Amino acid sequence: MSRILTAIASIGLAAITALPALAQSPLSLSGMSVYRYETLVDHSGNSGSFCCAPYVLGGPDGHFFYIRAIFDVAWSDDLDRISYSSSDITLMLPGDEEGRRAQGRYDWFGVFTPSAGSMSERRPNDFPEETAQAFLNGVWYLPREATTATLIIGEDDDMLEIPVNLAVEVGPVISPSQTFTFVPTGLTRATELTAETNMNRTDVPGLLAPTTGTMLRVDFDATPAFSTDTDAQAGDNQAFLRNTWFSLVGPDGAPLTLIGSQSGSNSTPRIEWTNSISWDDSPRTVDLSLYFLGSGAPGTYQLYFLEDMVGEVTLQ
């Protein structure tokens, strides 16, 4: 873990300086890292099953290149916002006639999203006493033999061109389980889940109870290992969790169906529920409870965070 954190913090796999800018781009490169991966797991949730049948991307002819770049922005009284869409951020390989758009991004370390991202940032309210940087976290799928490229951001009068060294060794992907510590604290059978859902400014009560099978509630603690937000400004510590990133596998090896959750005093039948964690000095632990539908058979159950098994808990 220390090696991974050092690699993230140092931004040193491929430090590069920008070419002298002939145009008036508001961006200037502060640092860049380039990582090369053999394969990646699709974490969008649109394909496969995280715990038991992950959709693995990649093939024999290509590699994934994760480019993380940090930019200083020339904020001024006239410039209070910068914004570049995914089509404004391309890689040009030698011999290319046009730039290549990214195939994915990292919004959070350990979680790959297979859709290109953008760059957007606002000038701080207390400018010029404080400033804000801009971040690029793009993933490109390129030919394995690729060793050099030019990163192009913007167009016309604000275009920035940066040479990129792609001749880096294939490395291990930051796995989801390296970004959090999870401690299961209980697994019980439940008969129902009462909740209240706000529908167009009206709180509507509801009841969730299984018509077949058994509802199980798994309780666990989650503690970030470090700040996982790839766009966090210096000093801002943030981490993020989605309920749908978790799976529970029964003693028969079959995954259960997620049907609801509880966080603090709030219970909800919504499958898609998120938890945002922020802190100043040290990571903050949150208590989470998820409800699954299965057979309710006694035995040892496995808790998964995306494709990684992160804990076991026994049901009597």
Side-chain angles (χ1 to χ4, degrees), residues 117-172:
S118 59
M119 289 178 58
S120 181
E121 192 58 60
R122 288 189 176 275
R123 186 186 66 197
N125 293 330
D126 51 0
F127 173 83
E129 284 73 20
E130 290 193 14
T131 188
Q133 294 180 306
F135 303 87
L136 169 67
N137 286 280
V139 178
W140 279 261
Y141 186 62
L142 304 174
R144 289 188 177 215
E145 62 270 18
T147 58
T148 186
T150 300
L151 175 65
I152 301 175
I153 302 175
E155 56 185 8
D156 300 330
D157 291 339
D158 74 342
M159 180 183 293
L160 179 65
E161 299 183 58
I162 304 170
V164 181
N165 176 22
L166 301 177
V168 297
E169 295 294 327
V170 173

Short mmCIF file of all heavy atoms in Angstrom, two decimals, residues 117-172:
data_model
loop_
_atom_site.label_atom_id
_atom_site.label_comp_id
_atom_site.label_asym_id
_atom_site.label_seq_id
_atom_site.Cartn_x
_atom_site.Cartn_y
_atom_site.Cartn_z
N GLY A 117 -13.92 11.60 -19.55
CA GLY A 117 -14.28 12.67 -18.65
C GLY A 117 -13.92 14.04 -19.22
O GLY A 117 -13.29 14.16 -20.28
N SER A 118 -14.31 15.07 -18.51
CA SER A 118 -14.04 16.43 -18.91
C SER A 118 -13.14 17.08 -17.86
O SER A 118 -12.78 16.48 -16.86
CB SER A 118 -15.35 17.21 -19.05
OG SER A 118 -16.06 17.20 -17.82
N MET A 119 -12.78 18.33 -18.10
CA MET A 119 -12.04 19.13 -17.12
C MET A 119 -12.83 20.40 -16.86
O MET A 119 -13.18 21.12 -17.81
CB MET A 119 -10.64 19.49 -17.64
CG MET A 119 -9.67 18.35 -17.72
SD MET A 119 -8.06 18.88 -18.39
CE MET A 119 -7.58 20.16 -17.22
N SER A 120 -13.11 20.67 -15.61
CA SER A 120 -13.87 21.86 -15.26
C SER A 120 -13.47 22.33 -13.87
O SER A 120 -13.31 21.52 -12.96
CB SER A 120 -15.38 21.57 -15.31
OG SER A 120 -16.13 22.72 -14.99
N GLU A 121 -13.28 23.63 -13.71
CA GLU A 121 -12.92 24.18 -12.41
C GLU A 121 -13.33 25.65 -12.36
O GLU A 121 -13.37 26.33 -13.38
CB GLU A 121 -11.41 24.04 -12.17
CG GLU A 121 -10.98 24.31 -10.76
CD GLU A 121 -11.66 23.42 -9.76
OE1 GLU A 121 -11.51 22.18 -9.87
OE2 GLU A 121 -12.36 23.96 -8.88
N ARG A 122 -13.66 26.11 -11.15
CA ARG A 122 -14.03 27.50 -10.94
C ARG A 122 -12.97 28.23 -10.10
O ARG A 122 -12.31 27.61 -9.26
CB ARG A 122 -15.39 27.61 -10.26
CG ARG A 122 -16.56 27.24 -11.15
CD ARG A 122 -17.89 27.58 -10.49
NE ARG A 122 -19.01 27.31 -11.38
CZ ARG A 122 -19.46 28.16 -12.29
NH1 ARG A 122 -18.87 29.35 -12.43
NH2 ARG A 122 -20.49 27.86 -13.07
N ARG A 123 -12.85 29.49 -10.34
CA ARG A 123 -11.95 30.31 -9.55
C ARG A 123 -12.47 30.40 -8.11
O ARG A 123 -13.66 30.58 -7.88
CB ARG A 123 -11.91 31.72 -10.16
CG ARG A 123 -10.92 32.67 -9.53
CD ARG A 123 -11.10 34.05 -10.14
NE ARG A 123 -12.41 34.61 -9.79
CZ ARG A 123 -12.98 35.64 -10.44
NH1 ARG A 123 -12.37 36.19 -11.48
NH2 ARG A 123 -14.16 36.09 -10.05
N PRO A 124 -11.60 30.25 -7.12
CA PRO A 124 -12.05 30.33 -5.72
C PRO A 124 -12.70 31.68 -5.41
O PRO A 124 -12.33 32.71 -5.98
CB PRO A 124 -10.76 30.14 -4.92
CG PRO A 124 -9.82 29.46 -5.86
CD PRO A 124 -10.17 29.96 -7.22
N ASN A 125 -13.66 31.64 -4.50
CA ASN A 125 -14.35 32.87 -4.13
C ASN A 125 -13.42 33.90 -3.49
O ASN A 125 -13.63 35.10 -3.61
CB ASN A 125 -15.50 32.56 -3.16
CG ASN A 125 -16.61 31.77 -3.82
OD1 ASN A 125 -16.83 31.91 -5.03
ND2 ASN A 125 -17.30 30.96 -3.05
N ASP A 126 -12.37 33.39 -2.80
CA ASP A 126 -11.46 34.31 -2.13
C ASP A 126 -10.19 34.56 -2.95
O ASP A 126 -9.14 34.88 -2.41
CB ASP A 126 -11.09 33.80 -0.74
CG ASP A 126 -10.62 32.36 -0.77
OD1 ASP A 126 -10.57 31.77 -1.88
OD2 ASP A 126 -10.29 31.83 0.30
N PHE A 127 -10.29 34.37 -4.28
CA PHE A 127 -9.18 34.73 -5.16
C PHE A 127 -8.91 36.23 -5.02
O PHE A 127 -9.85 37.02 -4.89
CB PHE A 127 -9.58 34.38 -6.61
CG PHE A 127 -8.60 34.83 -7.65
CD1 PHE A 127 -7.49 34.07 -7.94
CD2 PHE A 127 -8.80 36.03 -8.32
CE1 PHE A 127 -6.59 34.49 -8.90
CE2 PHE A 127 -7.89 36.46 -9.27
CZ PHE A 127 -6.79 35.69 -9.57
N PRO A 128 -7.64 36.69 -4.99
CA PRO A 128 -6.41 35.96 -5.29
C PRO A 128 -5.70 35.38 -4.08
O PRO A 128 -4.59 34.86 -4.22
CB PRO A 128 -5.56 37.04 -5.94
CG PRO A 128 -5.95 38.29 -5.21
CD PRO A 128 -7.42 38.15 -4.94
N GLU A 129 -6.30 35.48 -2.87
CA GLU A 129 -5.65 34.91 -1.69
C GLU A 129 -5.47 33.40 -1.85
O GLU A 129 -4.48 32.83 -1.38
CB GLU A 129 -6.45 35.22 -0.43
CG GLU A 129 -6.31 36.64 0.08
CD GLU A 129 -7.03 37.63 -0.80
OE1 GLU A 129 -7.95 37.20 -1.55
OE2 GLU A 129 -6.71 38.83 -0.75
N GLU A 130 -6.41 32.73 -2.48
CA GLU A 130 -6.32 31.30 -2.73
C GLU A 130 -6.53 31.02 -4.21
O GLU A 130 -7.15 31.82 -4.93
CB GLU A 130 -7.36 30.54 -1.89
CG GLU A 130 -7.07 30.55 -0.40
CD GLU A 130 -7.90 29.55 0.35
OE1 GLU A 130 -8.51 28.67 -0.30
OE2 GLU A 130 -7.95 29.63 1.59
N THR A 131 -6.03 29.88 -4.63
CA THR A 131 -6.16 29.50 -6.03
C THR A 131 -6.71 28.09 -6.11
O THR A 131 -6.97 27.45 -5.08
CB THR A 131 -4.81 29.60 -6.76
OG1 THR A 131 -5.01 29.39 -8.16
CG2 THR A 131 -3.83 28.56 -6.22
N ALA A 132 -6.91 27.60 -7.30
CA ALA A 132 -7.40 26.23 -7.50
C ALA A 132 -6.74 25.65 -8.74
O ALA A 132 -6.53 26.36 -9.74
CB ALA A 132 -8.93 26.23 -7.67
N GLN A 133 -6.39 24.38 -8.66
CA GLN A 133 -5.78 23.70 -9.79
C GLN A 133 -6.85 22.93 -10.57
O GLN A 133 -7.97 22.74 -10.10
CB GLN A 133 -4.69 22.76 -9.31
CG GLN A 133 -3.49 23.48 -8.70
CD GLN A 133 -2.41 22.53 -8.22
OE1 GLN A 133 -2.68 21.61 -7.46
NE2 GLN A 133 -1.18 22.73 -8.67
N ALA A 134 -6.48 22.51 -11.76
CA ALA A 134 -7.35 21.68 -12.60
C ALA A 134 -6.71 20.32 -12.77
O ALA A 134 -5.47 20.19 -12.75
CB ALA A 134 -7.60 22.34 -13.95
N PHE A 135 -7.54 19.27 -12.97
CA PHE A 135 -7.03 17.90 -12.98
C PHE A 135 -7.52 17.14 -14.21
O PHE A 135 -8.67 17.29 -14.64
CB PHE A 135 -7.50 17.15 -11.72
CG PHE A 135 -7.09 17.81 -10.43
CD1 PHE A 135 -7.90 18.79 -9.86
CD2 PHE A 135 -5.91 17.48 -9.82
CE1 PHE A 135 -7.53 19.42 -8.69
CE2 PHE A 135 -5.53 18.09 -8.63
CZ PHE A 135 -6.34 19.07 -8.06
N LEU A 136 -6.62 16.33 -14.74
CA LEU A 136 -6.96 15.41 -15.83
C LEU A 136 -6.72 14.00 -15.35
O LEU A 136 -5.64 13.69 -14.82
CB LEU A 136 -6.10 15.70 -17.07
CG LEU A 136 -6.16 14.66 -18.19
CD1 LEU A 136 -7.54 14.63 -18.82
CD2 LEU A 136 -5.09 14.94 -19.25
N ASN A 137 -7.72 13.13 -15.49
CA ASN A 137 -7.59 11.72 -15.10
C ASN A 137 -8.19 10.85 -16.21
O ASN A 137 -9.24 10.24 -16.05
CB ASN A 137 -8.31 11.47 -13.78
CG ASN A 137 -7.55 12.03 -12.60
OD1 ASN A 137 -6.60 11.42 -12.12
ND2 ASN A 137 -7.96 13.21 -12.14
N GLY A 138 -7.51 10.83 -17.34
CA GLY A 138 -8.03 10.12 -18.51
C GLY A 138 -7.34 8.79 -18.74
O GLY A 138 -6.17 8.61 -18.40
N VAL A 139 -8.08 7.85 -19.33
CA VAL A 139 -7.55 6.53 -19.66
C VAL A 139 -7.75 6.30 -21.16
O VAL A 139 -8.88 6.40 -21.67
CB VAL A 139 -8.25 5.41 -18.87
CG1 VAL A 139 -7.71 4.04 -19.29
CG2 VAL A 139 -8.04 5.62 -17.36
N TRP A 140 -6.65 6.00 -21.84
CA TRP A 140 -6.69 5.73 -23.27
C TRP A 140 -6.31 4.27 -23.52
O TRP A 140 -5.43 3.72 -22.85
CB TRP A 140 -5.70 6.61 -24.01
CG TRP A 140 -6.18 8.00 -24.29
CD1 TRP A 140 -6.71 8.48 -25.46
CD2 TRP A 140 -6.14 9.13 -23.40
NE1 TRP A 140 -7.02 9.81 -25.35
CE2 TRP A 140 -6.69 10.25 -24.09
CE3 TRP A 140 -5.73 9.31 -22.08
CZ2 TRP A 140 -6.80 11.50 -23.52
CZ3 TRP A 140 -5.85 10.55 -21.49
CH2 TRP A 140 -6.38 11.63 -22.21
N TYR A 141 -6.97 3.65 -24.51
CA TYR A 141 -6.60 2.29 -24.95
C TYR A 141 -5.85 2.46 -26.26
O TYR A 141 -6.42 2.85 -27.29
CB TYR A 141 -7.84 1.44 -25.14
CG TYR A 141 -7.54 -0.01 -25.46
CD1 TYR A 141 -6.85 -0.81 -24.55
CD2 TYR A 141 -7.95 -0.59 -26.65
CE1 TYR A 141 -6.57 -2.13 -24.83
CE2 TYR A 141 -7.69 -1.92 -26.94
CZ TYR A 141 -6.99 -2.69 -26.03
OH TYR A 141 -6.70 -4.02 -26.31
N LEU A 142 -4.54 2.15 -26.22
CA LEU A 142 -3.66 2.42 -27.35
C LEU A 142 -2.89 1.17 -27.75
O LEU A 142 -2.82 0.20 -26.98
CB LEU A 142 -2.66 3.52 -26.96
CG LEU A 142 -3.23 4.84 -26.46
CD1 LEU A 142 -2.10 5.75 -25.97
CD2 LEU A 142 -4.04 5.53 -27.54
N PRO A 143 -2.31 1.15 -28.95
CA PRO A 143 -1.47 0.02 -29.35
C PRO A 143 -0.34 -0.21 -28.35
O PRO A 143 0.22 0.75 -27.81
CB PRO A 143 -0.94 0.45 -30.72
CG PRO A 143 -1.94 1.43 -31.23
CD PRO A 143 -2.45 2.16 -30.03
N ARG A 144 -0.02 -1.47 -28.10
CA ARG A 144 1.00 -1.80 -27.12
C ARG A 144 2.35 -1.17 -27.44
O ARG A 144 3.15 -0.88 -26.54
CB ARG A 144 1.17 -3.31 -27.02
CG ARG A 144 -0.01 -4.01 -26.36
CD ARG A 144 0.29 -5.47 -26.11
NE ARG A 144 -0.82 -6.10 -25.40
CZ ARG A 144 -0.67 -7.04 -24.49
NH1 ARG A 144 0.53 -7.47 -24.18
NH2 ARG A 144 -1.72 -7.58 -23.90
N GLU A 145 2.62 -0.98 -28.72
CA GLU A 145 3.93 -0.46 -29.11
C GLU A 145 4.03 1.06 -28.94
O GLU A 145 5.10 1.64 -29.18
CB GLU A 145 4.23 -0.83 -30.56
CG GLU A 145 3.27 -0.26 -31.59
CD GLU A 145 2.09 -1.18 -31.88
OE1 GLU A 145 1.82 -2.09 -31.04
OE2 GLU A 145 1.44 -0.98 -32.91
N ALA A 146 2.98 1.72 -28.51
CA ALA A 146 3.01 3.17 -28.35
C ALA A 146 4.03 3.56 -27.29
O ALA A 146 4.05 3.01 -26.18
CB ALA A 146 1.62 3.67 -27.97
N THR A 147 4.89 4.52 -27.63
CA THR A 147 5.92 4.98 -26.69
C THR A 147 5.91 6.49 -26.50
O THR A 147 6.51 6.99 -25.54
CB THR A 147 7.31 4.55 -27.16
OG1 THR A 147 7.55 5.09 -28.48
CG2 THR A 147 7.43 3.03 -27.19
N THR A 148 5.25 7.22 -27.39
CA THR A 148 5.22 8.67 -27.27
C THR A 148 3.93 9.21 -27.86
O THR A 148 3.32 8.58 -28.73
CB THR A 148 6.43 9.30 -27.98
OG1 THR A 148 6.45 10.71 -27.73
CG2 THR A 148 6.37 9.06 -29.47
N ALA A 149 3.51 10.35 -27.35
CA ALA A 149 2.28 10.97 -27.83
C ALA A 149 2.30 12.44 -27.46
O ALA A 149 3.18 12.91 -26.71
CB ALA A 149 1.05 10.28 -27.23
N THR A 150 1.33 13.16 -27.97
CA THR A 150 1.15 14.56 -27.60
C THR A 150 -0.26 14.73 -27.03
O THR A 150 -1.24 14.35 -27.68
CB THR A 150 1.33 15.49 -28.82
OG1 THR A 150 2.65 15.33 -29.35
CG2 THR A 150 1.13 16.94 -28.41
N LEU A 151 -0.34 15.23 -25.83
CA LEU A 151 -1.62 15.52 -25.21
C LEU A 151 -2.06 16.92 -25.66
O LEU A 151 -1.31 17.89 -25.52
CB LEU A 151 -1.50 15.47 -23.69
CG LEU A 151 -2.75 15.86 -22.88
CD1 LEU A 151 -3.88 14.87 -23.11
CD2 LEU A 151 -2.42 15.94 -21.39
N ILE A 152 -3.27 17.01 -26.20
CA ILE A 152 -3.79 18.27 -26.70
C ILE A 152 -5.04 18.62 -25.90
O ILE A 152 -5.98 17.83 -25.82
CB ILE A 152 -4.12 18.18 -28.20
CG1 ILE A 152 -2.85 17.82 -28.98
CG2 ILE A 152 -4.71 19.50 -28.70
CD1 ILE A 152 -3.09 17.59 -30.47
N ILE A 153 -5.06 19.81 -25.32
CA ILE A 153 -6.20 20.28 -24.54
C ILE A 153 -6.65 21.61 -25.11
O ILE A 153 -5.85 22.55 -25.24
CB ILE A 153 -5.85 20.44 -23.05
CG1 ILE A 153 -5.36 19.10 -22.47
CG2 ILE A 153 -7.04 20.96 -22.26
CD1 ILE A 153 -4.88 19.19 -21.04
N GLY A 154 -7.92 21.70 -25.45
CA GLY A 154 -8.47 22.92 -26.02
C GLY A 154 -8.32 22.94 -27.53
O GLY A 154 -7.88 21.97 -28.16
N GLU A 155 -8.66 24.06 -28.10
CA GLU A 155 -8.56 24.21 -29.55
C GLU A 155 -8.38 25.69 -29.89
O GLU A 155 -8.58 26.58 -29.05
CB GLU A 155 -9.81 23.65 -30.24
CG GLU A 155 -11.11 24.25 -29.76
CD GLU A 155 -12.32 23.59 -30.37
OE1 GLU A 155 -12.18 22.56 -31.06
OE2 GLU A 155 -13.42 24.12 -30.17
N ASP A 156 -7.98 25.90 -31.12
CA ASP A 156 -7.80 27.26 -31.64
C ASP A 156 -6.86 28.08 -30.75
O ASP A 156 -5.75 27.65 -30.49
CB ASP A 156 -9.16 27.95 -31.79
CG ASP A 156 -10.09 27.20 -32.75
OD1 ASP A 156 -9.56 26.57 -33.67
OD2 ASP A 156 -11.31 27.24 -32.55
N ASP A 157 -7.34 29.22 -30.22
CA ASP A 157 -6.46 30.15 -29.52
C ASP A 157 -6.06 29.73 -28.12
O ASP A 157 -5.16 30.33 -27.54
CB ASP A 157 -7.11 31.54 -29.46
CG ASP A 157 -7.20 32.20 -30.82
OD1 ASP A 157 -6.42 31.79 -31.71
OD2 ASP A 157 -8.05 33.08 -31.01
N ASP A 158 -6.74 28.71 -27.53
CA ASP A 158 -6.35 28.32 -26.17
C ASP A 158 -5.83 26.88 -26.13
O ASP A 158 -5.86 26.22 -25.11
CB ASP A 158 -7.51 28.51 -25.19
CG ASP A 158 -8.59 27.45 -25.33
OD1 ASP A 158 -8.64 26.79 -26.39
OD2 ASP A 158 -9.36 27.27 -24.37
N MET A 159 -5.31 26.40 -27.25
CA MET A 159 -4.79 25.03 -27.33
C MET A 159 -3.48 24.91 -26.57
O MET A 159 -2.59 25.75 -26.67
CB MET A 159 -4.59 24.61 -28.78
CG MET A 159 -4.05 23.18 -28.93
SD MET A 159 -3.75 22.75 -30.66
CE MET A 159 -5.42 22.72 -31.30
N LEU A 160 -3.37 23.82 -25.79
CA LEU A 160 -2.14 23.49 -25.09
C LEU A 160 -1.67 22.13 -25.57
O LEU A 160 -2.45 21.17 -25.60
CB LEU A 160 -2.38 23.45 -23.58
CG LEU A 160 -1.18 23.09 -22.70
CD1 LEU A 160 -0.10 24.17 -22.79
CD2 LEU A 160 -1.62 22.90 -21.25
N GLU A 161 -0.41 22.02 -25.97
CA GLU A 161 0.17 20.77 -26.46
C GLU A 161 1.30 20.35 -25.52
O GLU A 161 2.21 21.13 -25.24
CB GLU A 161 0.70 20.94 -27.88
CG GLU A 161 -0.37 21.30 -28.89
CD GLU A 161 0.17 21.38 -30.30
OE1 GLU A 161 0.73 20.36 -30.77
OE2 GLU A 161 0.07 22.45 -30.92
N ILE A 162 1.23 19.09 -25.05
CA ILE A 162 2.19 18.59 -24.07
C ILE A 162 2.73 17.24 -24.54
O ILE A 162 1.95 16.31 -24.79
CB ILE A 162 1.52 18.41 -22.69
CG1 ILE A 162 0.88 19.71 -22.23
CG2 ILE A 162 2.54 17.91 -21.67
CD1 ILE A 162 0.01 19.54 -21.00
N PRO A 163 4.03 17.09 -24.67
CA PRO A 163 4.59 15.78 -25.03
C PRO A 163 4.43 14.80 -23.87
O PRO A 163 4.60 15.17 -22.71
CB PRO A 163 6.06 16.08 -25.31
CG PRO A 163 6.35 17.31 -24.51
CD PRO A 163 5.08 18.11 -24.49
N VAL A 164 4.09 13.55 -24.19
CA VAL A 164 3.85 12.53 -23.18
C VAL A 164 4.73 11.32 -23.48
O VAL A 164 4.71 10.78 -24.59
CB VAL A 164 2.36 12.10 -23.15
CG1 VAL A 164 2.14 11.05 -22.06
CG2 VAL A 164 1.46 13.31 -22.93
N ASN A 165 5.46 10.87 -22.48
CA ASN A 165 6.27 9.66 -22.60
C ASN A 165 5.43 8.46 -22.20
O ASN A 165 5.06 8.31 -21.03
CB ASN A 165 7.51 9.77 -21.70
CG ASN A 165 8.34 8.51 -21.70
OD1 ASN A 165 8.25 7.71 -22.63
ND2 ASN A 165 9.14 8.32 -20.67
N LEU A 166 5.11 7.61 -23.16
CA LEU A 166 4.31 6.42 -22.91
C LEU A 166 5.17 5.17 -22.67
O LEU A 166 4.62 4.08 -22.43
CB LEU A 166 3.36 6.15 -24.08
CG LEU A 166 2.37 7.26 -24.43
CD1 LEU A 166 1.55 6.86 -25.65
CD2 LEU A 166 1.47 7.57 -23.26
N ALA A 167 6.49 5.33 -22.72
CA ALA A 167 7.39 4.18 -22.58
C ALA A 167 7.59 3.85 -21.10
O ALA A 167 8.70 3.96 -20.55
CB ALA A 167 8.72 4.46 -23.27
N VAL A 168 6.52 3.46 -20.44
CA VAL A 168 6.58 3.04 -19.04
C VAL A 168 6.21 1.57 -18.95
O VAL A 168 5.52 1.03 -19.82
CB VAL A 168 5.64 3.89 -18.16
CG1 VAL A 168 6.07 5.35 -18.19
CG2 VAL A 168 4.19 3.77 -18.62
N GLU A 169 6.67 0.91 -17.91
CA GLU A 169 6.42 -0.51 -17.74
C GLU A 169 4.95 -0.76 -17.36
O GLU A 169 4.31 0.07 -16.71
CB GLU A 169 7.33 -1.09 -16.67
CG GLU A 169 8.81 -1.05 -17.02
CD GLU A 169 9.15 -1.96 -18.19
OE1 GLU A 169 8.48 -3.02 -18.33
OE2 GLU A 169 10.06 -1.61 -18.97
N VAL A 170 4.45 -1.92 -17.75
CA VAL A 170 3.13 -2.34 -17.30
C VAL A 170 3.16 -2.53 -15.80
O VAL A 170 4.08 -3.15 -15.25
CB VAL A 170 2.71 -3.66 -17.98
CG1 VAL A 170 1.40 -4.18 -17.39
CG2 VAL A 170 2.55 -3.46 -19.48
N GLY A 171 2.19 -1.96 -15.12
CA GLY A 171 2.16 -2.03 -13.67
C GLY A 171 0.85 -2.58 -13.16
O GLY A 171 -0.11 -2.76 -13.92
N PRO A 172 0.77 -2.85 -11.85
CA PRO A 172 -0.47 -3.34 -11.26
C PRO A 172 -1.49 -2.23 -11.13
O PRO A 172 -1.14 -1.08 -10.83
CB PRO A 172 -0.03 -3.87 -9.89
CG PRO A 172 1.17 -3.05 -9.55
CD PRO A 172 1.87 -2.77 -10.86
#
